[in-house]
């Protein structure tokens, strides 16, 4: 049996390494549903690869971390149910095969789906080492939307979403055990143990490690690392929870540019850098979803940008900066020391003033579809303690209103009602999207209503920015399909989509 399994893994490795016959130098990613279904038939089915003991190991850790979160927050939480992994109605579907020439790895990416093949906000990354395919599975990397914390209207910034990141390796006995996360410092332990903290600082400050950090090839030693981490949306690396090195070390102990590179290379920092709601690769559904749940592209802006770097990979070449992809300095971009804004924009701290002194690129006067929040904001390493004091938002043109961050629109968005009955028609430089009305929509879901029905009964059509193949949405928004089809999509908050919100899934499961 062991010989047969090894032969199967070797055969699968050959298929994955060649990405179904496409030379890795030409195409490093395959995510078309037909190829994914074929790979599953040829041996890439999830349980066939990882065995039956992987699911209980993952489920038990998710349940533990959910209990820990719920024990320390006093607000309503919509949380992932670990029981979904073992109830027989859900399974993991292969969504992508990825080559990593920079890491000498091949990866199979799976996403949790329900009985209708509808996507849930959870992926598992199965890593195979290219130069040792006979070793079979190397590790499992888990990213799951653990919970959405719902705002209580007070100064705590609790309209936020937590993503649990885990890694597992298989023992010689076939059990899956937790592994420490790559380059992810254990903040609580380092803050408590000053000797250990100083040891890490000394290691990071050495000339050899400074050079490695510049090229993204550093590997933080095992003794400093955490075996679980939580990344938080929205606001990316401005949240201290997503910047663990900044949470451990004070200004002056390491150069600001070095700190940014270190944070961007952590698990939490990476997953909150120009991602799709905490994910970088979400796949193409095998069953076409309704327009209100359809992404125009399952690849994040950062994932797409880094493929060119990987195709032309040269050891020592610096990877792209996830916060400034392709030199992006437009509206919503981070700014501050060393980072300026594009023409017609200023770095404004009144729109977002984080503890690191960063601001947000915005015009002096708000415009349609633009940022409009004005807040006093303090971020902590524990995101539950973040303070968010709302100031009067900027005035929006053309009779528009500022939909604020606390209402689900990161950094605010100037939106204008589309008019009676117009739910998806063109409106100048924007498209119309049905925007949920917070109270009625949430009550409808909690009462057992279906997402589509609740949206139809409790929404207002508002203008939202367009997105195209060459025009991406600003950070913390995603490009979704328009109900009328066409080449252009609509930029929307990610949690409008059921596939990206455990809140909607939890409501549906309770019916």
């Amino acid at each position: 049996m062991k010989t047969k399994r090894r032969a199967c893994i070797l055969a699968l490795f050959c298929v994955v390494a060649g990405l179904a016959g496409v030379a890795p130098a030409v195409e490093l990613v395959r995510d078309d549903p037909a190829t994914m279904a074929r790979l599953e038939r040829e041996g890439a089915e999830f349980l066939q690869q990882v065995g039956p003991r992987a699911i209980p190991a993952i489920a038990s850790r998710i349940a533990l971390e959910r209990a820990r979160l719920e024990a320390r927050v006093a607000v309503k939480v919509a949380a992932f149910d670990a029981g979904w992994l073992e109830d027989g109605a859900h399974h993991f579907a292969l969504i992508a095969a990825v080559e990593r020439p920079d890491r000498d790895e091949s990866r199979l990416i799976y996403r949790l789906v329900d009985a209708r093949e509808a996507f849930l906000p959870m992926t598992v990354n199965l890593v195979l080492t290219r130069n040792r395919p006979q070793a079979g599975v190397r590790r499992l990397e888990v990213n799951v939307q653990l919970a959405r914390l719902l705002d209580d209207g007070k100064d705590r910034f609790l309209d936020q979403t937590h993503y649990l990141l885990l890694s597992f390796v298989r023992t010689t006995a076939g059990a899956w055990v937790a592994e420490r996360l790559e380059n992810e410092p254990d903040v609580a332990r380092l803050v408590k143990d000053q000797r250990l903290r100083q040891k890490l600082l000394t290691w990071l400050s050495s000339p050899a490690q400074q050079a490695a950090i510049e090229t993204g090839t550093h590997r933080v030693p095992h003794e400093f690392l955490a075996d679980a981490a939580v990344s938080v949306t929205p606001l990316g690396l401005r949240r201290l929870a997503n910047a663990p090195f900044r949470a451990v070390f004070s200004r002056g102990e390491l150069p600001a540019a070095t700190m940014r590179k270190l944070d961007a290379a952590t698990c939490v920092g990476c997953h909150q850098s120009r991602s799709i709601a905490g994910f970088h690769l979400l796949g193409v559904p095998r069953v076409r979803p309704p327009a209100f749940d359809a992404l125009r592209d399952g690849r994040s802006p950062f994932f797409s940008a880094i493929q060119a770097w990987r195709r032309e990979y040269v050891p020592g070449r610096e990877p792209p900066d996830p916060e400034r992809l392709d030199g992006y300095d437009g509206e919503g971009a981070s700014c501050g020391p060393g980072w300026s804004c594009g023409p017609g924009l200023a770095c404004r701290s009144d729109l977002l003033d984080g503890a690191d002194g960063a601001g947000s690129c915005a015009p002096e006067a708000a415009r349609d579809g633009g940022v409009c929040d004005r807040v006093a904001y303090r971020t902590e390493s524990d995101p539950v303690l973040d303070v968010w004091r709302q100031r009067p938002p900027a005035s929006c043109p053309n009779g528009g209103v500022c939909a604020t961050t606390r209402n689900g629109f990161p950094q605010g968005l100037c939106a204008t009602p589309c008019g009676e009955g117009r739910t998806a028609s063109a409106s100048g430089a924007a498209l119309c999207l049905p925007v949920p009305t917070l109270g009625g929509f949430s009550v409808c879901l909690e009462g057992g209503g279906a997402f589509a029905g609740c949206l139809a009964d409790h929404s207002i059509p508002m203008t939202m920015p367009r997105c195209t193949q060459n025009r991406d949405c600003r950070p913390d928004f995603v490009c979704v399909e328009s109900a009328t089809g066409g080449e252009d999509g609509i930029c929307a908050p990610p949690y409008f989509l059921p596939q990206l919100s455990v809140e909607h899934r939890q409501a549906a499961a309770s019916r």
Side-chain angles (χ1 to χ4, degrees), residues 46 55 58 62 80 85 91-96 107-113 119-126 140-146 163-168 271 276-284 295 298 499-500:
F46 184 72
I55 294 292
I58 296 171
I62 292 174
F80 186 92
L85 301 181
H91 69 279
F92 285 100
L94 183 65
I95 60 168
R107 300 182 176 213
L108 295 175
I109 315 298
Y110 298 86
R111 189 167 177 189
L112 188 65
V113 298
F119 280 150
L120 277 73
M122 179 179 184
T123 61
V124 177
N125 180 7
L126 174 61
L140 289 175
E141 298 174 344
V142 176
N143 184 8
V144 57
Q145 188 183 112
L146 181 65
Y163 294 83
L164 177 63
L165 304 172
L166 303 168
S167 183
F168 296 86
H271 280 279
I276 302 174
F279 297 93
H280 283 301
L281 187 58
L282 286 170
V284 180
L295 290 167
Q499 66 162 293
L500 295 179

Side-chain angles (χ1 to χ4, degrees), residues 53-275:
R53 300 171 71 177
I55 294 292
I58 296 171
S60 63
R61 188 58 189 267
I62 292 174
L64 173 64
E65 297 299 334
R66 170 179 171 170
R68 286 175 173 171
L69 175 63
E70 292 180 329
R72 65 186 183 86
V73 297
V75 296
K76 184 177 179 182
V77 174
F80 186 92
D81 186 347
W84 294 338
L85 301 181
E86 302 178 278
D87 64 5
H90 298 77
H91 69 279
F92 285 100
L94 183 65
I95 60 168
V98 180
E99 278 288 284
R100 288 288 305 270
D102 56 315
R103 298 290 299 268
D104 240 8
E105 294 174 346
S106 295
R107 300 182 176 213
L108 295 175
I109 315 298
Y110 298 86
R111 189 167 177 189
L112 188 65
V113 298
D114 64 17
R116 302 168 299 159
E117 295 294 320
F119 280 150
L120 277 73
M122 179 179 184
T123 61
V124 177
N125 180 7
L126 174 61
V127 183
L128 301 171
T129 306
R130 293 174 62 194
N131 59 4
R132 293 189 298 112
Q134 68 276 9
V137 175
R138 181 182 177 188
R139 68 181 182 274
L140 289 175
E141 298 174 344
V142 176
N143 184 8
V144 57
Q145 188 183 112
L146 181 65
R148 273 182 54 75
L149 279 63
L150 308 183
D151 186 34
D152 61 0
K154 300 178 181 179
D155 285 343
R156 297 297 184 198
F157 182 31
L158 293 176
D159 188 3
Q160 55 183 264
T161 305
H162 290 209
Y163 294 83
L164 177 63
L165 304 172
L166 303 168
S167 183
F168 296 86
V169 292
R170 185 157 52 184
T171 68
T172 55
W176 287 93
V177 296
E179 178 190 41
R180 293 191 178 180
L181 299 170
E182 185 175 290
N183 287 342
E184 182 69 37
D186 188 329
V187 173
R189 186 158 52 93
L190 287 164
V191 170
K192 183 177 180 180
D193 188 339
Q194 289 299 303
R195 182 198 62 81
L196 191 66
R197 177 185 177 280
Q198 184 59 45
K199 186 177 180 181
L200 175 57
L201 179 60
T202 300
W203 184 85
L204 293 169
S205 301
S206 71
Q209 294 311 318
Q210 287 288 301
I213 292 167
E214 284 297 310
T215 57
T217 57
H218 64 286
R219 295 293 177 265
V220 176
H222 186 268
E223 65 179 309
F224 305 113
L225 302 177
D227 68 355
V230 172
S231 70
V232 184
T233 60
L235 305 182
L237 291 179
R238 298 169 189 173
R239 306 289 290 270
L240 205 56
N242 299 329
F245 283 95
R246 185 156 56 92
V248 170
F249 300 110
S250 58
R251 292 184 185 182
E253 291 186 291
L254 288 169
T258 298
M259 201 92 80
R260 279 192 188 123
K261 290 178 183 295
L262 285 169
D263 284 329
T266 63
C267 295
V268 294
C270 173
H271 280 279
Q272 293 302 328
S273 296
R274 295 311 305 274
S275 63

